Amino acid sequence: MLLTVTTTHQPATDLGYLLVKHPDRLHSFDLPGGTAYVFYPQADPARCTAALLLEVDSARLGGGRGRGRRSTVPEGFSLGQYVNDRPYAASSLLASALSKVFRSALRGDSKDRPELAATAIPLEIRVPVLRCRGGAEIAERLFAPLGWTVTATEIPLDDAHPQWGASRYVDLLLTGTQQLADALNHLYVLLPVLDDSKHYWVAPDEIDKLLRAGAGWLADHPERALVSRRYLAHQRALAGLALARLAELRLAENPAEADSVTETEVADAGAESGPDAGAESPADAAPASGADATTGTDAGPDAGGQVATPQAVGDTPEAKRESLAVRRRAAVLAALEAAGATRVLDLGCGGGALLAALVRDRRYTEIVGTDVSSGALEMAARRLHLDRVPERQRDRVRLWQSALTYRDDRLRGFDAAVLMEVIEHLDLPRLPALEDAVFGHARPATVVVTTPNVEYNVRYEGLAGGGMRHPDHRFEWSRAEFAQWAHRVAAAHGYRVEIAGIGDDDPEVGSPTQIATFVKESA
């Protein structure tokens, strides 16, 4: 399989510095699935072309059913490891080779030409044989929004028999002015998406890979749902989590866009329909209002248009124009303010949406975000710009990797802790461990917990027949179930608790989100 990168930037041979591959040499790399070669068919000041040729070892690839790998060959087809298109058509194998051979270029690093690495230059990228599920049209849908001029020529099934029509392959040509790092990251993500297959087992850490390579472009891509589904091998839970984290990024950049994240985009992340497996169903095309772009865990319509009642926290005329995500954060911040807290834990902070709000308020002198996911903490650090803010402000914030089902001495002694849309992600048998770690061991003066109200799900399009708001939820409680849990925990650990709703209060099913504020009783 072959990929070429061409530039007419002057002098064009600077491409060698950006790729860290000298034009006068043949470079070879031994990879798990074969051997990659980098060479330059043309290298002069006016025009320079670098070629990446991947020679796949079919036997090695087909026989590699080791830990963390899966065969790309259909079960029951023993000759498939020798008779298949993997050695010839661009796929995740080529994307993997890109990441290893052009590692520094993908990061945008260049010791010799740092200014050029950060500059958009004219590029022409060609993949002459690319397996493309959905044909030329889907290649256009994926690359055109990124600023590329796309020419995807369908390759005939057989030149001698044109009546047989097109094959599943295209000759892809991309032209545009882009930073080289951006161009390579587009390819790294979208080549396996077009192929709609991966040569290795897709695990949860693939979400971090997707978000790293998609930084700066994927969150706003109109086909982000399709990209997430295919890149994550149609694993519904993983795709839902990826879309939820992308939603956090969009909300951080522009809170007004919170309502653009539909419940179906997140909860139905595993569903594809249509001949190209990229078309959305009619239900998917109808966005639900009030979507939650904070975590994707409570997305859906917010029953807009109903009369607000005093029982629902945040139900003011102004709040009715805001998404449920924004209203939830406002309710949490109001509870922290009422408690007089200055040193706050955000437990299960995810990508840092609440942390960003806390940092903006100078009353909070110490802010700690914890999460079991290192990828989530990296995202939070980027959102908070911790590498660029003044030292005095940076010293207010700390990010710790910690599991909420284990006691952690670092979490003791704080004024308040927040568990915002967290508990429902734990298996119920693990919930007592969280109760012990937070209420029994850390024992902050105030604990604020929010969680979905399952009764409200009937007001969400697509959930009226049952189901949860997010594929990673292990449970969702009714108002009575949440109240029973909250009062039991409070009594067991010496707290008193108040419970309210967040969002529009439906007279039949209550508010979409529940909030409990636990206050430690005096000794």
Side-chain angles (χ1 to χ4, degrees):
M1 53 187 74
L2 178 68
L3 179 149
T4 61
V5 180
T6 300
T7 186
T8 55
H9 165 80
Q10 305 297 307
T13 48
D14 277 353
L15 181 62
Y17 289 106
L18 297 182
L19 296 175
V20 198
K21 304 291 181 290
H22 197 288
D24 293 339
R25 291 177 51 198
L26 172 67
H27 308 262
S28 63
F29 306 85
D30 188 36
L31 303 176
T35 305
Y37 302 93
V38 177
F39 58 96
Y40 290 76
Q42 180 179 4
D44 56 57
R47 184 178 177 89
C48 185
T49 297
L52 170 62
L53 176 65
L54 178 60
E55 188 176 75
V56 175
D57 185 334
S58 298
R60 198 190 324 175
L61 181 67
R65 286 178 180 260
R67 183 177 179 268
R69 297 190 61 186
R70 65 177 174 87
S71 174
T72 58
V73 179
E75 293 291 341
F77 182 36
S78 59
L79 291 179
Q81 59 182 302
Y82 305 106
V83 185
N84 63 78
D85 62 356
R86 299 298 89 182
Y88 313 107
S91 64
S92 65
L93 287 163
L94 186 58
S96 181
L98 271 175
S99 71
K100 293 176 174 61
V101 173
F102 297 140
R103 187 182 302 275
S104 59
L106 275 158
R107 294 196 305 262
D109 296 338
S110 176
K111 181 181 67 175
D112 298 298
R113 298 290 189 273
E115 300 86 0
L116 185 59
T119 302
I121 61 175
L123 292 171
E124 179 181 291
I125 295 175
R126 186 183 177 204
V127 186
V129 183
L130 169 61
R131 188 178 185 272
C132 189
R133 186 180 176 209
E137 183 265 340
I138 201 167
E140 176 80 20
R141 284 167 51 188
L142 293 180
F143 281 103
L146 301 174
W148 293 104
T149 298
V150 183
T151 305
T153 305
E154 293 183 338
I155 299 174
L157 192 61
D158 190 323
D159 289 332
H161 300 277
Q163 70 275 17
W164 290 357
S167 69
R168 67 183 71 180
Y169 309 100
V170 300
D171 180 349
L172 180 68
L173 178 66
L174 306 173
T175 56
T177 301
Q178 304 266 2
Q179 292 183 28
L180 180 63
D182 291 341
L184 295 178
N185 279 289
H186 296 165
L187 293 166
Y188 176 76
V189 172
L190 297 180
L191 287 180
V193 168
L194 288 170
D195 181 30
D196 201 15
S197 178
K198 282 205 166 184
H199 70 283
Y200 57 88
W201 179 253
V202 173
D205 62 355
E206 289 294 295
I207 297 175
D208 293 331
K209 292 181 185 179
L210 173 63
L211 297 185
R212 280 197 300 269
W217 61 272
L218 182 56
D220 295 317
H221 197 294
E223 299 290 349
R224 57 187 172 271
L226 171 64
V227 171
S228 299
R229 288 193 294 263
R230 288 191 173 192
Y231 187 88
L232 297 168
H234 300 272
Q235 293 194 41
R236 183 187 180 95
L238 296 185
L241 289 171
L243 287 169
R245 289 171 62 179
L246 290 171
E248 289 184 1
L249 293 174
R250 298 211 304 285
L251 181 62
E253 295 296 327
N254 185 3
E257 290 187 0
D259 290 342
S260 69
V261 186
T262 67
E263 192 281 329
T264 50
E265 179 186 58
V266 175
D268 292 336
E272 290 192 61
S273 61
D276 64 355
E280 304 296 339
S281 68
D284 290 338
S289 64
D292 179 350
T294 304
T295 63
T297 60
D298 203 11
D302 202 13
Q306 298 181 23
V307 178
T309 65
Q311 288 75 24
V313 176
D315 273 344
T316 65
E318 181 179 359
K320 289 177 70 61
R321 295 191 295 272
E322 297 174 330
S323 74
L324 182 57
V326 173
R327 299 164 83 173
R328 182 187 301 115
R329 282 198 302 279
V332 169
L333 293 170
L336 294 175
E337 180 180 356
T342 60
R343 301 174 64 243
V344 178
L345 297 166
D346 183 4
L347 304 177
C349 65
L354 178 62
L355 291 174
L358 293 170
V359 168
R360 287 192 292 268
D361 193 327
R362 301 302 301 179
R363 84 180 74 222
Y364 301 111
T365 59
E366 186 176 359
I367 303 163
V368 173
T370 76
D371 204 283
V372 72
S373 167
S374 60
L377 294 175
E378 290 172 4
M379 182 186 298
R382 289 195 298 270
R383 167 177 277 164
L384 300 174
H385 306 295
L386 293 182
D387 58 334
R388 300 199 298 271
V389 299
E391 183 177 357
R392 185 170 62 178
Q393 180 169 332
R394 185 168 60 246
D395 288 344
R396 294 170 60 213
V397 184
R398 285 173 289 169
L399 300 176
W400 294 337
Q401 189 168 18
S402 182
L404 296 179
T405 51
Y406 294 90
R407 293 186 171 199
D408 188 335
D409 289 340
R410 296 174 299 174
L411 306 183
R412 295 173 63 90
F414 281 79
D415 298 332
V418 177
L419 292 155
M420 190 172 73
E421 308 301 285
V422 170
I423 61 172
E424 62 274 10
H425 291 270
L426 271 69
D427 292 316
L428 278 170
R430 300 292 292 159
L431 202 54
L434 178 143
E435 297 164 12
D436 174 71
V438 175
F439 294 92
H441 186 71
R443 294 190 61 76
T446 299
V447 181
V448 182
V449 179
T450 75
T451 193
N453 168 21
V454 71
E455 297 170 73
Y456 198 90
N457 287 3
V458 296
R459 299 292 184 256
Y460 290 161
E461 182 180 354
L463 293 183
M468 299 187 191
R469 301 186 197 179
H470 189 274
D472 191 53
H473 284 188
R474 303 303 197 262
F475 64 88
E476 289 178 358
W477 276 333
S478 67
R479 288 168 290 174
E481 289 169 325
F482 183 54
Q484 181 182 24
W485 174 81
H487 286 295
R488 178 184 61 76
V489 170
H493 296 284
Y495 286 80
R496 66 178 186 273
V497 64
E498 295 181 0
I499 300 172
I502 302 173
D504 295 333
D505 186 36
D506 186 290
E508 296 181 1
V509 298
S511 302
T513 296
Q514 313 182 73
I515 181 170
T517 304
F518 299 80
V519 179
K520 189 164 59 175
E521 299 280 14
S522 300

